[in-house]
Amino acid sequence: REIYNEMSVAVGNKVPSWAVPESIFFMLAKLGDLLGKFTKVPFDSYRYGKLLGDDCYTSDKICQKLGFKPKITFKDALPEILATINK
Protein backbone atom coordinates (compact mmCIF):
# COMPACT_ATOMS: atom_id res chain seq x y z
CA ARG A 1 0.00 0.00 0.00
CA GLU A 2 2.90 2.34 0.75
CA ILE A 3 4.25 2.00 -2.79
CA TYR A 4 0.80 2.67 -4.25
CA ASN A 5 0.40 5.77 -2.07
CA GLU A 6 3.82 7.11 -3.10
CA MET A 7 3.07 6.50 -6.78
CA SER A 8 -0.26 8.32 -6.48
CA VAL A 9 1.43 11.33 -4.92
CA ALA A 10 4.26 11.28 -7.49
CA VAL A 11 1.82 11.52 -10.42
CA GLY A 12 -0.25 14.18 -8.69
CA ASN A 13 -3.24 12.04 -7.74
CA LYS A 14 -4.94 12.04 -4.39
CA VAL A 15 -4.45 8.96 -2.26
CA PRO A 16 -7.86 7.33 -1.81
CA SER A 17 -9.17 7.46 1.73
CA TRP A 18 -10.97 4.14 1.29
CA ALA A 19 -9.73 0.59 0.90
CA VAL A 20 -11.26 -2.73 -0.07
CA PRO A 21 -11.45 -5.02 2.98
CA GLU A 22 -9.21 -8.07 2.84
CA SER A 23 -12.24 -10.28 3.50
CA ILE A 24 -13.68 -9.27 0.11
CA PHE A 25 -10.48 -10.40 -1.63
CA PHE A 26 -10.60 -13.66 0.36
CA MET A 27 -14.18 -14.38 -0.71
CA LEU A 28 -13.37 -13.57 -4.35
CA ALA A 29 -10.36 -15.89 -4.19
CA LYS A 30 -12.50 -18.75 -2.89
CA LEU A 31 -15.08 -18.08 -5.60
CA GLY A 32 -12.27 -18.07 -8.16
CA ASP A 33 -11.06 -21.44 -6.84
CA LEU A 34 -14.53 -22.88 -7.29
CA LEU A 35 -15.10 -21.42 -10.75
CA GLY A 36 -11.54 -22.30 -11.74
CA LYS A 37 -12.52 -25.96 -11.77
CA PHE A 38 -14.73 -25.21 -14.79
CA THR A 39 -13.17 -22.23 -16.54
CA LYS A 40 -10.19 -19.89 -16.48
CA VAL A 41 -10.49 -17.16 -13.83
CA PRO A 42 -8.40 -14.03 -13.23
CA PHE A 43 -8.36 -14.26 -9.43
CA ASP A 44 -7.98 -17.26 -7.12
CA SER A 45 -6.22 -18.24 -3.90
CA TYR A 46 -2.81 -18.28 -5.58
CA ARG A 47 -3.18 -14.68 -6.76
CA TYR A 48 -4.70 -13.72 -3.41
CA GLY A 49 -1.53 -14.96 -1.73
CA LYS A 50 0.63 -13.00 -4.15
CA LEU A 51 -1.42 -9.83 -3.65
CA LEU A 52 -1.87 -9.93 0.10
CA GLY A 53 0.81 -12.36 1.25
CA ASP A 54 3.50 -11.37 3.67
CA ASP A 55 6.36 -11.24 1.18
CA CYS A 56 8.60 -8.42 2.22
CA TYR A 57 11.77 -7.33 0.49
CA THR A 58 14.40 -5.10 1.98
CA SER A 59 17.86 -3.96 0.98
CA ASP A 60 19.18 -4.20 4.55
CA LYS A 61 21.08 -7.44 3.93
CA ILE A 62 22.94 -6.16 0.86
CA CYS A 63 23.72 -2.93 2.67
CA GLN A 64 25.22 -4.83 5.60
CA LYS A 65 27.11 -7.50 3.65
CA LEU A 66 28.45 -5.33 0.82
CA GLY A 67 28.49 -1.94 2.48
CA PHE A 68 26.09 -0.63 -0.19
CA LYS A 69 24.51 2.72 0.58
CA PRO A 70 21.80 3.94 -1.80
CA LYS A 71 22.26 7.51 -2.99
CA ILE A 72 18.53 8.10 -3.35
CA THR A 73 15.38 6.63 -1.80
CA PHE A 74 12.58 5.01 -3.75
CA LYS A 75 10.29 7.88 -2.78
CA ASP A 76 12.74 10.47 -4.09
CA ALA A 77 13.44 8.53 -7.33
CA LEU A 78 9.80 7.80 -8.12
CA PRO A 79 8.93 11.01 -10.02
CA GLU A 80 11.89 10.45 -12.39
CA ILE A 81 11.01 6.77 -12.83
CA LEU A 82 7.41 7.58 -13.69
CA ALA A 83 8.43 10.39 -16.04
CA THR A 84 10.63 7.94 -17.95
CA ILE A 85 7.80 5.39 -18.22
CA ASN A 86 5.26 8.00 -19.40
CA LYS A 87 7.40 9.29 -22.30
Side-chain angles (χ1 to χ4, degrees):
R1 177 70 187 217
E2 290 175 47
I3 292 172
Y4 174 79
N5 290 351
E6 293 299 336
M7 290 177 73
S8 293
V9 170
V11 297
N13 292 341
K14 288 180 70 175
V15 176
S17 60
W18 57 274
V20 177
E22 185 176 343
S23 60
I24 299 293
F25 285 106
F26 180 78
M27 288 187 291
L28 289 172
K30 292 301 176 186
L31 179 62
D33 291 342
L34 180 65
L35 295 175
K37 294 177 182 178
F38 308 104
T39 186
K40 189 172 182 176
V41 294
F43 193 71
D44 56 13
S45 289
Y46 173 77
R47 287 177 180 83
Y48 169 84
K50 288 294 191 182
L51 179 66
L52 297 170
D54 60 357
D55 292 345
C56 182
Y57 304 96
T58 177
S59 61
D60 292 345
K61 197 172 194 178
I62 195 169
C63 291
Q64 291 171 358
K65 297 242 180 203
L66 300 178
F68 174 76
K69 293 183 181 161
K71 295 178 183 176
I72 188 168
T73 66
F74 174 75
K75 181 179 177 179
D76 293 336
L78 195 54
E80 183 179 343
I81 293 168
L82 293 174
T84 302
I85 292 171
N86 291 327
K87 283 186 178 180

